[in-house]
């Protein structure tokens, strides 16, 4: 029996965006993701995308899993294909939904007649098909308010489609509809979640990671690349920049007051990230900071960090509790990688008593004794870039 996937995007998502751009980018993203699974015929009509396997090798189960992670799709369902003929629709409904209707106690039929040339109107399809279902499954009752099963029949241009279970998709906007931003990606729990959340708004993510060998190991860097690879499921390909940061950190340790180590380091990270973002075509930075989570994330500290940056810094998890962030990390499957215990350059020279409420003037004075500009240029020149490609299924 021919079976396909119907992926729908809500009209709500289109507000403020050009419909054509939205659809073209979404289609391109879907094609790109499904390419490694098999050959699918993909088309669109009336805010629905039709994904049809072209042959046996194109696995619909796998395609469904991948589609659940594509931003811009609000709901999706599997559907049986029937000829646009009422008897064919009845026969296909009985076959396709046999199991579900056998186990259900109540049902209702919903019909959508997009092709107005079809001879029966929607209410007629509902009552006629409902009658046939009642005759074939005499234990069933009709319940229009809260049925166990909703049998949906859609009459479209080329075919009729029958389905029952609609699931939520990933929501959001297709990645590529909202420009590009640079994610400061550590090996922790928060920053991959922050990247995911901005990608959900259609932003293409690039990622930057600071390393301080020998204080941070090769394994720690690999962990971050692994995290990047994981989020490609949602974000697509990621330009990944790895910045050597040892010289700067050692200089901070040698030359600056200990209580300001972290905040000075963060200001230099942001300065470098901004310069690389400009070269990369990114318009903003993204971090995984959340107010009050650690000493460097008090409001005062965040304000001191922001003054070195002309670009907006997005912090999508800023108002979230750790438990809320963790539940997203689990959902997107980054949690288990994030909790692997490798060091991050942020944790290498942590002061015993960091200044919790730093004042900008004091920080500038503390930094003033050192000229970091050459070190910053060095770090940028020695940055290594790689494109982390969407994982092949
Ligand atoms: P995370 O769980 O994302 O590591 P965190 O709660 O551990 O966050 P910090 O270590 O203070 O907090 O880092 C705050 C933010 O700074 C991170 O969310 C990330 O955006 C950025 N960051 C920290 N370390 C690095 C790094 N080595 N490279 C790039 N960005 C980093
Ligand atoms: Mg961290």
């Amino acid at each position: 029996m021919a079976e396909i996937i119907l992926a729908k995007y809500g009209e709500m998502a289109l507000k403020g965006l050009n419909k054509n751009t939205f659809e073209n980018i979404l289609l391109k993203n879907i094609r790109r993701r499904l390419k490694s699974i098999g050959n699918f015929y993909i088309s669109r009509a009336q805010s629905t995308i039709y994904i049809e396997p072209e042959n046996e090798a194109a696995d619909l189960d796998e395609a469904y899993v991948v589609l659940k992670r594509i931003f811009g799709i609000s709901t999706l369902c599997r559907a049986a294909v029937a000829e646009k003929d009422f008897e064919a629709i009845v026969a296909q409904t009985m076959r396709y939904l046999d199991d579900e209707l056998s186990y259900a106690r109540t049902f209702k039929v919903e019909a959508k007649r997009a092709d107005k040339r079809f001879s029966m109107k929607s209410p007629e399809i509902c009552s006629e098909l409902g009658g046939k279902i009642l005759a074939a499954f005499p234990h069933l009752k009709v319940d229009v308010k809260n049925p166990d099963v909703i049998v949906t029949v859609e009459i479209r241009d080329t075919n009729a489609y029958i389905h029952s279970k609609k699931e939520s998709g990933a929501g959001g906007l297709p990645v590529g509809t909202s420009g590009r931003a640079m994610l400061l990606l550590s090996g922790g729990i928060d920053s991959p979640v922050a990247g995911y959340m901005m990608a959900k708004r259609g932003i293409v993510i690039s990622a930057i990671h600071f390393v301080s060998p020998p204080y941070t190991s090769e394994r720690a860097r690999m962990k971050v690349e692994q995290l990047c690879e994981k989020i490609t499921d949602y974000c697509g390909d990621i330009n990944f920049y790895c910045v050597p940061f040892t010289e700067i950190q050692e200089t901070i340790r040698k030359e600056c007051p200990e209580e300001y180590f972290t905040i000075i380091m963060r200001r230099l990270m942001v300065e470098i990230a901004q310069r690389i973002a400009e070269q990369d075509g990114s318009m903003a930075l993204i971090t995984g900071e959340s107010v009050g989570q650690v000493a460097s994330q008090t409001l005062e500290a965040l304000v001191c960090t922001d003054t070195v940056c002309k670009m907006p810094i997005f912090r999508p998890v800023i108002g979230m509790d750790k438990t809320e962030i963790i539940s997203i990390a689990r959902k997107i499957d980054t949690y288990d990688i994030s909790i692997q215990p490798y060091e991050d350059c942020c944790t290498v020279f942590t002061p015993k008593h960091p200044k919790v409420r730093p004042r900008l003037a004091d920080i500038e004075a503390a930094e003033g004794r050192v000229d970091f500009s050459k070190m910053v240029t060095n770090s940028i020149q020695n940055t290594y870039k790689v494109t982390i490609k969407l994982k092949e299924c």
Side-chain angles (χ1 to χ4, degrees):
M1 173 191 341
E3 196 182 17
I4 71 166
I5 297 173
L6 304 181
K8 310 206 176 193
Y9 40 94
E11 290 295 326
M12 280 297 287
L14 291 171
K15 279 206 173 138
L17 277 178
N18 176 300
K19 185 166 183 203
N20 243 336
T21 313
F22 180 102
E23 288 177 337
N24 288 340
I25 295 179
L26 180 56
L27 272 177
K28 189 176 105 218
N29 292 351
I30 292 177
R31 288 210 167 91
R32 171 87 213 284
R33 302 287 175 88
L34 294 182
K35 208 170 64 186
S36 65
I37 298 180
N39 294 334
F40 293 87
Y41 180 67
I42 301 167
S43 58
R44 67 173 152 178
Q46 292 146 333
S47 301
T48 302
I49 294 174
Y50 299 77
I51 298 116
E52 267 169 80
E54 279 184 16
N55 50 38
E56 290 278 302
D59 188 328
L60 213 62
D61 291 338
E62 263 184 77
Y64 195 83
V65 172
V66 168
L67 287 162
K68 286 269 290 179
R69 301 194 185 125
I70 297 181
F71 290 129
I73 297 175
S74 57
T75 61
L76 67 173
C77 64
R78 294 169 75 131
V81 185
E83 253 179 68
K84 285 201 302 187
D85 161 77
F86 185 67
E87 288 313 316
I89 292 171
V90 172
Q92 194 67 307
T93 305
M94 301 304 171
R95 262 200 304 262
Y96 191 58
L97 300 179
D98 182 43
D99 262 9
E100 261 181 83
L101 292 172
S102 303
Y103 291 111
R105 284 163 305 151
T106 57
F107 80 105
K108 78 167 171 181
V109 180
E110 278 181 2
K112 290 178 193 157
R113 193 178 59 126
D115 176 7
K116 302 295 179 211
R117 292 165 309 176
F118 191 71
S119 60
M120 294 165 79
K121 293 204 167 123
S122 297
E124 199 183 343
I125 301 173
C126 291
S127 66
E128 293 283 321
L129 182 58
K132 299 270 186 196
I133 293 174
L134 282 173
F137 299 88
H139 71 283
L140 281 176
K141 287 202 165 55
V142 174
D143 179 350
V144 287
K145 286 217 179 87
N146 192 20
D148 293 341
V149 177
I150 301 175
V151 176
T152 307
V153 179
E154 301 189 27
I155 314 285
R156 301 278 181 152
D157 280 346
T158 43
N159 288 305
Y161 301 99
I162 299 138
H163 55 89
S164 61
K165 279 189 228 118
K166 205 163 60 175
E167 274 195 303
S168 300
L173 303 175
V175 170
T177 50
S178 308
R180 180 182 284 277
M182 179 69 73
L183 169 68
L184 280 83
L185 185 63
S186 68
I189 296 168
D190 309 329
S191 41
V193 170
Y196 158 85
M197 288 175 73
M198 297 313 293
K200 185 169 183 181
R201 298 313 302 159
I203 289 180
V204 181
I205 302 293
S206 293
I208 186 166
H209 177 63
F210 294 84
V211 289
S212 289
Y215 308 102
T216 61
S217 65
E218 187 65 5
R219 297 284 299 273
R221 183 189 57 77
M222 281 161 61
K223 171 185 168 185
V224 177
E225 287 197 23
Q226 221 184 325
L227 279 171
C228 246
E229 197 182 292
K230 204 58 175 172
I231 59 173
T232 59
D233 272 353
Y234 294 93
C235 309
D237 295 351
I238 295 178
N239 292 343
F240 177 72
Y241 297 87
C242 189
V243 186
F245 205 50
T246 316
E247 191 189 10
I248 291 178
Q249 282 204 286
E250 284 181 334
T251 310
I252 298 174
R253 182 175 59 168
K254 213 159 99 220
E255 306 290 343
C256 302
E258 185 182 330
E259 57 185 350
Y260 292 121
F261 279 2
T262 312
I263 185 84
I264 293 174
M265 180 195 71
R266 301 200 61 78
R267 281 160 59 88
L268 285 152
M269 273 186 172
V270 163
E271 193 180 326
I272 292 173
Q274 173 171 240
R275 300 249 303 257
I276 294 181
E278 277 162 5
Q279 296 167 11
D280 175 67
S282 286
M283 292 185 276
L285 303 184
I286 303 167
T287 77
E289 289 160 310
S290 152
V291 167
Q293 205 182 74
V294 287
S296 60
Q297 295 174 22
T298 59
L299 212 48
E300 288 83 353
L302 295 175
V303 168
C304 292
T305 313
D306 279 14
T307 54
V308 294
C309 191
K310 287 198 289 292
M311 285 180 177
I313 304 181
F314 297 140
R315 300 178 168 100
V317 303
I318 195 76
M320 290 168 78
D321 290 344
K322 195 77 185 183
T323 49
E324 294 172 290
I325 302 172
I326 288 175
S327 75
I328 300 178
R330 285 193 196 278
K331 185 177 94 180
I332 63 173
D333 211 15
T334 51
Y335 183 75
D336 289 337
I337 306 173
S338 292
I339 57 170
Q340 288 169 22
Y342 298 116
E343 61 295 324
D344 178 50
C345 69
C346 274
T347 52
V348 288
F349 306 129
T350 348
K352 279 198 208 69
H353 304 289
K355 194 85 177 163
V356 180
R357 307 204 182 285
R359 286 178 2 156
L360 187 57
D362 296 338
I363 291 168
E364 282 172 353
E367 271 174 5
R369 293 183 223 128
V370 194
D371 181 7
F372 285 103
S373 54
K374 193 133 184 292
M375 287 177 253
V376 166
T377 310
N378 260 343
S379 282
I380 294 172
Q381 275 168 356
N382 291 309
T383 290
Y384 121 102
K385 179 187 170 189
V386 61
T387 305
I388 304 218
K389 296 259 180 201
L390 193 65
K391 236 179 16 259
E392 298 289 315
C393 294

